[in-house]
Amino acid sequence: MKIWANSGDSHIIEPPTLFDALPEHLRSLMPRSVKDADGAFETIYLDGQEFRRAMPQSAPGEQGGRPPRMTAMPKGTDASEYANRHIQSNDAEQRLQDADNEGVWAEVIFPSLGIWASNIRTPELAKRGARLMNEFALDFQNQSERFVCTAAIPMLDINDSVAEIKRSAADGFLAGFLPVLPPLGRPDWHHEDWDPMWDAFADTGMRIAFHIGTEPLEPTERTGVYFRGRGGAVLNYVETTYGGQKAVTKLIASGVLDQRRELKVLVSEGGATWGPFLADRMTEGYRQHSAGVRPVLNREPAEILFEQVYASFQHDSSAILACSAMGWQNVMWGSDYPHFEGTFGHTQETLHGLFDGVDEAVSHRIRIGAFQELFPSVPLPAFAV
Amino acid sequence: MKIWANSGDSHIIEPPTLFDALPEHLRSLMPRSVKDADGAFETIYLDGQEFRRAMPQSAPGEQGGRPPRMTAMPKGTDASEYANRHIQSNDAEQRLQDADNEGVWAEVIFPSLGIWASNIRTPELAKRGARLMNEFALDFQNQSERFVCTAAIPMLDINDSVAEIKRSAADGFLAGFLPVLPPLGRPDWHHEDWDPMWDAFADTGMRIAFHIGTEPLEPTERTGVYFRGRGGAVLNYVETTYGGQKAVTKLIASGVLDQRRELKVLVSEGGATWGPFLADRMTEGYRQHSAGVRPVLNREPAEILFEQVYASFQHDSSAILACSAMGWQNVMWGSDYPHFEGTFGHTQETLHGLFDGVDEAVSHRIRIGAFQELFPSVPLPAFAV
């Protein structure tokens, strides 16, 4: 039996022609990728900086030497199929066909160039780049009521941030994308300077959507490489999970969410079991430093997190228990489509593995209800779920 | 009714005369504290470096403005009582009386100077300092079978590390203390250079005991201050929770624990709910990078963590569910005695709040059983628990 789910974590790949309309002095600064001859790495050129990134690996085939419980990549998938899927993801009809096949209903869709947004240093570039990305995303979103695209937000001038949030909300965006850390040189998310931006999110009703792995980089750094040597691949993967937790801690400890109860925050792709844990840790910190804590919050940090923060996971079985056993109602599932490391090709296997035998109310809440609460204007699936 | 628990997180405060036996050129390099006139900060002098540290705050009194669910500090506690309790904690008889009053049976006891261990730069100092600390801790441990002191380990010369582990194990130590990051300039915990140390722990049967908040500092840094401004106190507190998780990830991803199944690791004071979460995150990373992951592990990361890693928490209610609902049997409770931010003065209230109504097998496992599994030679409480 087919099982359906909304996705709190999907992506769209901007076309390479997206920035052709910009004047030359800006166009040459926008991100472009040059692949190595052997296909193992690419170099991203952005705003006068260069970053190196490992290309997504091809399929591991028969999982030789891996423990049998590991979920295999879809058989026969290879790098060229991966590339095709990226292109298909920008064709709304093909994307919906993929989604129907996989059992995915509505999706929160992040920009792909968004992972570079925190590395832009030129305010005009940030502003005009975000506008073009949002025009593209809006056209895409308008092709199906199942698409919830996240607006790109310029972050180098707070007036530009506020203006783009207001404009994109008026255009129909339901969420804005933010990296887990602001650009280098800008104050961190808990600083007062950002308050007008949080006000704009609150006033427009747009959701804040953080995606993990979006920290700004020094140009000398290779994207996502924090550790080398033994265990490096797993260490680097796990390292990305902390950024979303830290962003949430900043918005709660600083009083940003306490003062704006209508503000809702989604953290995508970082798992979800951290929610109840972080809630307890913040409450403990608040208790231990109760004499010196600033600002005093009107609600416990745990209560704020449980009410205003949402998180999406792909495969983590403990995430369901964070909802059913630990009481965090805001756990959401996500496919990471069309990324190679997501659930494409095995979504039904993943969903059945996660939810078969789970209490129906919990299952429905995680697959459908939490997403619905964040985006009530998105229609429910027209069939039994 | 009194409820009893072992503590996976306690401390002893070394006497200021501890290093008097050292020759002058070393004695002057060992850590010493000079308090500011106003008592708000202290300066730690260590191995030619200076570090600033905020002094523990005095009691917050009636918790004005705090949500009522916050656990209050023991009423009437003030800074001088705090200082006295530190001194008392080195008097075995008084410590046991405190423990009996609070309902604490056996304790894992960390060195207090240990938080500075990762900042020592002089190998001879590391070696001789650890030896003196261990002589003091051994004398203390010998006063009660309820004391499990952790041996200090010199970390600047691997031969010294191995020698001190072997000697302290022969002397009767059951665990060795390690900071969550090695000293600056030394390779990180996942590097092959440390394998002789892990072998020594495995060969002697000594447990590895990480304590959070023990990262090495640049001399320009103020201890534990990562964030300033709004929410800084809570942000800085929460930040300390990640170090233990990262250390565990390194030991698992690098194969250190997989290759040494008898090795057991305790992470103290960082909460415990992270265990099942990190297990899922590592398994996901291992799956996503299955073609390139090195080394290939014989067991899933989650299985290694569930079997060989233990963690202690104080107040986090979700930690109990990490055991009962998520199946991690290695959740332990800890008092943080004699620290001001621990449970002293309200341990019974804390334990009843956490465990009343919890399944008796789960409650016993967290309060008594997991500790007992790590340290089977420590006698059980002689009364009903």
Side-chain angles (χ1 to χ4, degrees):
Chain A
M1 205 188 96
K2 197 157 192 169
I3 183 171
W4 286 82
N6 293 324
S7 168
D9 172 33
S10 297
H11 296 266
I12 197 168
I13 318 293
E14 299 82 0
T17 55
L18 184 62
F19 303 112
D20 285 358
L22 287 177
E24 171 57 26
H25 76 283
L26 291 177
R27 194 167 67 235
S28 63
L29 298 177
M30 289 307 291
R32 64 191 168 86
S33 157
V34 177
K35 268 127 200 118
D36 286 9
D38 66 0
F41 284 90
E42 64 177 337
T43 305
I44 308 285
Y45 296 90
L46 167 64
D47 204 355
Q49 307 158 94
E50 293 182 20
F51 305 98
R52 295 277 290 169
R53 180 163 70 156
M55 292 297 289
Q57 58 184 255
S58 56
E62 292 302 314
Q63 305 275 323
R66 311 286 160 229
R69 274 181 55 207
M70 300 289 166
T71 310
M73 301 281 186
K75 288 210 178 109
T77 310
D78 61 19
S80 74
E81 183 173 334
Y82 171 77
N84 285 336
R85 194 140 49 79
H86 267 70
I87 294 161
Q88 283 173 23
S89 71
N90 290 344
D91 178 315
E93 202 175 322
Q94 291 215 42
R95 186 183 184 108
L96 289 169
Q97 194 180 311
D98 268 359
D100 286 345
N101 287 341
E102 297 288 313
V104 173
W105 182 248
E107 302 175 283
V108 177
I109 301 177
F110 287 90
S112 286
L113 292 176
I115 67 164
W116 302 105
S118 59
N119 292 294
I120 293 177
R121 307 174 295 179
T122 306
E124 188 191 5
L125 194 68
K127 179 182 174 178
R128 298 186 65 169
R131 187 88 288 275
L132 284 173
M133 287 170 66
N134 290 343
E135 286 170 7
F136 168 74
L138 188 67
D139 282 346
F140 192 78
Q141 178 172 276
N142 286 338
Q143 296 178 75
S144 170
E145 56 195 2
R146 291 159 66 180
F147 298 155
V148 178
C149 289
T150 57
I153 313 292
M155 294 170 289
L156 295 176
D157 181 321
I158 189 71
N159 296 317
D160 291 345
S161 313
V162 169
E164 189 58 40
I165 290 167
K166 289 187 175 169
R167 172 156 185 182
S168 56
D171 284 348
F173 280 99
L174 304 174
F177 159 72
L178 289 181
V180 293
L181 273 178
L184 292 173
R186 294 284 289 146
D188 208 343
W189 291 135
H190 59 294
H191 195 278
E192 288 84 349
D193 284 10
W194 293 106
D195 281 348
M197 187 172 81
W198 311 129
D199 286 336
F201 275 113
D203 292 345
T204 59
M206 269 174 75
R207 310 314 191 185
I208 299 166
F210 289 110
H211 193 285
I212 66 159
T214 49
E215 291 88 349
L217 298 169
E218 299 284 351
T220 51
E221 289 171 341
R222 187 178 285 179
T223 317
V225 177
Y226 305 96
F227 300 98
R228 295 169 190 276
R230 282 197 313 199
V234 172
L235 278 162
N236 288 317
Y237 177 80
V238 171
E239 188 69 15
T240 64
T241 204
Y242 300 116
Q245 299 175 52
K246 293 182 183 186
V248 164
T249 306
K250 288 165 196 166
L251 294 197
I252 293 176
S254 64
V256 165
L257 296 190
D258 188 40
Q259 290 153 24
R260 298 167 186 83
R261 199 156 178 172
E262 64 277 36
L263 213 49
K264 305 260 187 190
V265 177
L266 169 64
V267 177
S268 292
E269 209 180 328
T273 320
W274 56 265
F277 173 58
L278 192 62
D280 273 346
R281 296 274 83 199
M282 278 193 279
T283 297
E284 175 77 3
Y286 197 79
R287 184 193 70 82
Q288 288 194 13
H289 297 275
S290 55
V293 76
R294 302 280 180 282
V296 171
L297 303 173
N298 296 304
R299 294 169 288 156
E300 270 203 335
E303 186 184 340
I304 298 168
L305 188 148
F306 268 50
E307 184 178 309
Q308 292 173 257
V309 178
Y310 296 68
S312 85
F313 74 100
Q314 288 172 226
H315 297 103
D316 294 8
S317 58
S318 64
I320 294 169
L321 298 162
C323 177
S324 61
M326 295 179 177
W328 192 28
Q329 296 299 306
N330 299 347
V331 175
M332 290 164 64
W333 181 81
S335 70
D336 200 22
Y337 177 90
H339 288 172
F340 199 69
E341 64 270 29
T343 68
F344 184 77
H346 61 269
T347 306
Q348 283 300 302
E349 186 189 334
T350 298
L351 290 173
H352 277 291
L354 286 168
F355 292 107
D356 284 358
V358 170
D359 174 82
E360 184 45 38
V362 170
S363 169
H364 190 274
R365 173 75 191 178
I366 297 175
R367 289 182 295 111
I368 307 286
F371 185 104
Q372 203 65 31
E373 186 172 275
L374 273 184
F375 308 109
S377 63
V378 175
L380 277 165
F383 32 77
V385 293
Chain B
M1 204 189 96
K2 196 157 194 169
I3 183 170
W4 286 83
N6 293 324
S7 168
D9 172 32
S10 297
H11 296 266
I12 196 169
I13 319 293
E14 298 82 358
T17 55
L18 185 62
F19 302 112
D20 286 358
L22 288 176
E24 171 56 26
H25 76 281
L26 291 178
R27 193 166 68 234
S28 62
L29 297 178
M30 289 307 290
R32 66 192 169 85
S33 158
V34 177
K35 267 126 203 120
D36 286 8
D38 66 1
F41 284 89
E42 64 178 336
T43 305
I44 307 284
Y45 296 90
L46 167 64
D47 203 355
Q49 305 158 97
E50 292 181 20
F51 305 97
R52 295 278 289 169
R53 181 162 70 158
M55 292 297 290
Q57 59 185 254
S58 57
E62 292 303 313
Q63 305 275 325
R66 309 287 160 229
R69 273 182 55 208
M70 300 286 168
T71 310
M73 301 279 188
K75 286 207 179 113
T77 311
D78 62 18
S80 74
E81 183 173 334
Y82 171 77
N84 286 334
R85 194 141 48 80
H86 268 70
I87 293 160
Q88 283 173 24
S89 72
N90 290 343
D91 179 315
E93 202 174 323
Q94 291 213 41
R95 185 180 185 111
L96 288 170
Q97 195 180 310
D98 269 359
D100 286 346
N101 288 340
E102 297 288 314
V104 173
W105 180 248
E107 301 174 283
V108 177
I109 301 177
F110 287 90
S112 286
L113 292 176
I115 67 163
W116 301 104
S118 58
N119 292 295
I120 294 178
R121 307 175 295 181
T122 306
E124 188 191 6
L125 193 68
K127 179 181 172 178
R128 297 188 63 170
R131 189 89 285 277
L132 284 172
M133 288 170 67
N134 290 342
E135 286 170 7
F136 167 74
L138 188 68
D139 283 347
F140 191 78
Q141 176 173 277
N142 286 338
Q143 294 177 78
S144 170
E145 55 195 2
R146 291 160 65 181
F147 298 153
V148 177
C149 289
T150 57
I153 313 293
M155 294 170 288
L156 296 177
D157 180 320
I158 191 71
N159 296 316
D160 291 345
S161 313
V162 169
E164 190 58 41
I165 290 167
K166 289 188 175 167
R167 173 156 182 181
S168 55
D171 283 349
F173 280 98
L174 304 175
F177 159 72
L178 290 180
V180 292
L181 274 178
L184 292 173
R186 294 284 289 147
D188 207 343
W189 290 136
H190 59 294
H191 195 279
E192 288 83 349
D193 285 10
W194 293 106
D195 281 349
M197 187 172 81
W198 312 129
D199 286 337
F201 275 113
D203 292 346
T204 58
M206 269 174 77
R207 309 314 191 186
I208 298 166
F210 289 109
H211 193 285
I212 67 160
T214 48
E215 291 88 351
L217 299 168
E218 298 284 352
T220 51
E221 289 170 341
R222 187 178 286 175
T223 316
V225 177
Y226 304 96
F227 300 98
R228 295 169 190 278
R230 282 197 312 198
V234 172
L235 278 163
N236 288 319
Y237 177 80
V238 171
E239 188 69 15
T240 64
T241 204
Y242 300 116
Q245 299 175 51
K246 294 182 182 187
V248 164
T249 307
K250 288 165 196 167
L251 295 197
I252 293 176
S254 65
V256 164
L257 296 189
D258 188 41
Q259 290 153 22
R260 297 168 186 81
R261 199 158 179 170
E262 64 276 37
L263 213 50
K264 303 262 188 190
V265 177
L266 168 64
V267 177
S268 292
E269 209 179 329
T273 320
W274 55 265
F277 174 59
L278 191 62
D280 273 346
R281 297 274 83 199
M282 276 192 278
T283 297
E284 175 75 4
Y286 196 80
R287 183 193 72 81
Q288 287 194 12
H289 297 275
S290 56
V293 75
R294 303 278 180 281
V296 172
L297 304 173
N298 295 303
R299 293 169 289 155
E300 271 202 333
E303 185 184 340
I304 298 168
L305 190 149
F306 268 51
E307 183 178 310
Q308 292 173 256
V309 178
Y310 296 68
S312 85
F313 74 101
Q314 287 172 225
H315 297 103
D316 295 7
S317 58
S318 65
I320 294 169
L321 297 162
C323 178
S324 61
M326 296 181 176
W328 192 28
Q329 296 298 306
N330 298 345
V331 175
M332 290 164 63
W333 181 81
S335 70
D336 201 22
Y337 177 89
H339 288 173
F340 199 68
E341 65 270 28
T343 68
F344 184 77
H346 61 269
T347 306
Q348 283 300 301
E349 187 190 336
T350 298
L351 290 173
H352 278 291
L354 287 168
F355 293 106
D356 285 357
V358 170
D359 175 82
E360 183 46 37
V362 170
S363 170
H364 190 273
R365 173 74 191 179
I366 296 174
R367 290 183 294 110
I368 308 288
F371 185 106
Q372 203 65 32
E373 185 172 275
L374 273 184
F375 307 110
S377 63
V378 176
L380 278 164
F383 33 79
V385 292

